[in-house]
Amino acid sequence: MSTHSYRLNVNGTEHDVAEAWIGESLLHVLRDRLGLPGAKNACEEGECGSCSVQIDGTLVCSCLVLAASATDRQILTIEGVGSGDPDAPDLSDVQQAFIDAGAVQCGFCTPGLIMAVHDLLDRDDGASTTDEAPLGDLEIQEALSGNLCRCTGYGRILEAVELVAGRRAGDRA
């Protein structure tokens, strides 16, 4: 099996990936080579959303992306949301809303859900809602449909999304 070396830009930092099998998934490289355990390994089929990250601003399941194909691209993981500083954590508004709404149960699916909510709310240059058309339940449910949670009925998760969307709308008013 031949190996290759490449660089990945993850959370604004360049990382060397040495002696890697060209077929390694981005999920594997993030967790096992770069020590970023936030993206979780559950299904390895892109069905559960627990491994969600953003590549160049697009939400993807990192289990389905070849790591070597992500060179020269910007990768954002849950570790890069908020301040990204483990010594002085500064939570993003989405992370804080999940805490405030009690939307964190076992925590396994939480990183993927938070990445999906950021994707939903950060689209269209940060406009998550408008005065004329607030974010609807159907839009929220559709945005989160690729994320599986085994602990909840999603009620608190939906509450967290509505909470942060309302806060953002209030900040713009």
Side-chain angles (χ1 to χ4, degrees), residues 17-39:
V17 180
E19 298 182 27
W21 174 56
I22 203 73
E24 289 177 341
S25 72
L26 180 58
L27 174 62
H28 171 74
V29 170
L30 291 171
R31 291 182 58 81
D32 299 334
R33 292 184 173 273
L34 302 183
L36 298 169

Side-chain angles (χ1 to χ4, degrees), residues 85-169:
D85 182 354
D87 296 325
D90 181 22
L91 300 177
S92 73
D93 57 349
V94 175
Q95 291 168 315
Q96 188 61 55
F98 266 65
I99 292 169
D100 294 346
V104 178
Q105 296 285 314
C106 80
F108 195 85
C109 66
T110 305
L113 282 163
I114 288 173
M115 294 302 293
V117 172
H118 270 287
D119 181 62
L120 169 65
L121 299 179
D122 293 344
R123 288 185 213 151
D124 302 323
D125 298 325
S128 62
T129 62
T130 66
D131 292 335
E132 298 82 31
L135 196 59
D137 286 345
L138 186 58
E139 187 178 3
I140 296 169
Q141 291 170 3
E142 184 177 318
L144 300 182
S145 66
N147 295 81
L148 300 179
C149 176
R150 294 180 177 156
C151 297
T152 73
Y154 296 90
R156 291 184 179 179
I157 294 167
L158 296 174
E159 181 183 331
V161 178
E162 291 168 357
L163 182 63
V164 72
R167 287 175 180 168
R168 288 186 181 189

Side-chain angles (χ1 to χ4, degrees), residues 1-70:
M1 172 170 54
S2 89
T3 60
H4 301 276
S5 297
Y6 50 88
R7 292 176 65 87
L8 294 176
N9 185 308
V10 182
N11 302 326
T13 302
E14 292 289 328
H15 295 272
D16 289 318
V17 180
E19 298 182 27
W21 174 56
I22 203 73
E24 289 177 341
S25 72
L26 180 58
L27 174 62
H28 171 74
V29 170
L30 291 171
R31 291 182 58 81
D32 299 334
R33 292 184 173 273
L34 302 183
L36 298 169
K40 305 296 188 224
N41 183 6
C43 73
E44 294 186 31
E45 295 178 359
E47 295 292 330
C48 70
S50 65
C51 67
S52 296
V53 301
Q54 289 185 355
I55 298 179
D56 292 337
T58 300
L59 191 68
V60 299
C61 291
S62 62
C63 69
L64 298 179
V65 176
L66 294 177
S69 73

